[in-house]
Amino acid sequence: GQDLMNLRLRDERAWRAATARGDVAVKTGVEGEGLSVATRLAYGVVRCAGRYAWGKWQEKMLRERFDEDEGDSWKYRAWRLSQTAENAHAVASFVNFCVFLRHGSYPTLLDRALGARLVYQRPSMARVVDFEYLNQQLAWRELSELVLFTLPYLYSTRLRSLF
């Protein structure tokens, strides 16, 4: 998708260091190296394997009822720690989103942590996908999210009892 939109990820930390030293002449703002192999690997591991592992951990906690154990058991402490970590991640994501809306540079916490910023590959190249198609995709996506949000309410037992 990024190739169609003429986007790539740039290592923002290395680019800022190079511009501070004067190694890079800023012409268009899209100069700079891409992500290193280690950064791309970390990005993929956290993005895919991290989400998978967190989902499996939550399934295990629900299946084994970690929250029902009493006081000092390791299961209850692990459940509380997981809840705290999840709440902290939600707050940090919200703060990052607000900063992103203000400055427009890092849309996710992972991008901010790794210093990966989306920039154009070539500033003079037009997008391969025109805006009409993008608008259509956005409209369908929003419509499907609305349907997925409202369906549980439509099939609610309370709603059926009213009719």
Side-chain angles (χ1 to χ4, degrees), residues 5 28 32 36 39 41 45 47 67 69 92 112 134 137 139 144 146 148 163:
M5 295 183 63
T28 60
S36 67
T39 306
L41 187 61
V45 166
R47 186 107 178 174
D67 60 332
D69 282 356
R112 186 171 297 279
L134 290 175
Q137 290 298 315
S144 65
L146 176 69
L148 289 174
F163 297 105

Side-chain angles (χ1 to χ4, degrees), residues 96-113:
N96 183 65
F97 179 68
C98 292
V99 171
F100 170 70
L101 289 178
R102 176 78 172 117
H103 299 288
S105 53
Y106 300 105
T108 65
L109 282 175
L110 182 59
D111 291 344
R112 186 171 297 279

Side-chain angles (χ1 to χ4, degrees), residues 59-103:
E59 285 177 15
K60 177 181 176 61
M61 287 191 307
L62 285 173
R63 187 176 53 248
E64 296 181 16
R65 302 180 195 271
F66 278 29
D67 60 332
E68 293 178 0
D69 282 356
E70 294 295 324
D72 268 352
S73 72
W74 73 270
K75 286 184 174 184
Y76 184 76
R77 285 194 309 261
W79 178 76
R80 291 294 302 158
L81 182 65
S82 295
Q83 293 299 313
T84 303
E86 195 168 347
N87 290 338
H89 181 265
V91 169
S93 293
F94 176 73
V95 169
N96 183 65
F97 179 68
C98 292
V99 171
F100 170 70
L101 289 178
R102 176 78 172 117
H103 299 288

Side-chain angles (χ1 to χ4, degrees), residues 36-37 45 51 54 70 88 100 106 121-122 140 144 149 156:
S36 67
V37 174
V45 166
R51 286 184 182 178
W54 184 257
E70 294 295 324
F100 170 70
Y106 300 105
Q121 285 180 0
R122 290 172 294 284
W140 278 110
S144 65
F149 177 74
S156 172

Side-chain angles (χ1 to χ4, degrees), residues 158-163:
R158 281 192 226 161
L159 188 63
R160 283 191 209 162
S161 66
L162 292 175
F163 297 105

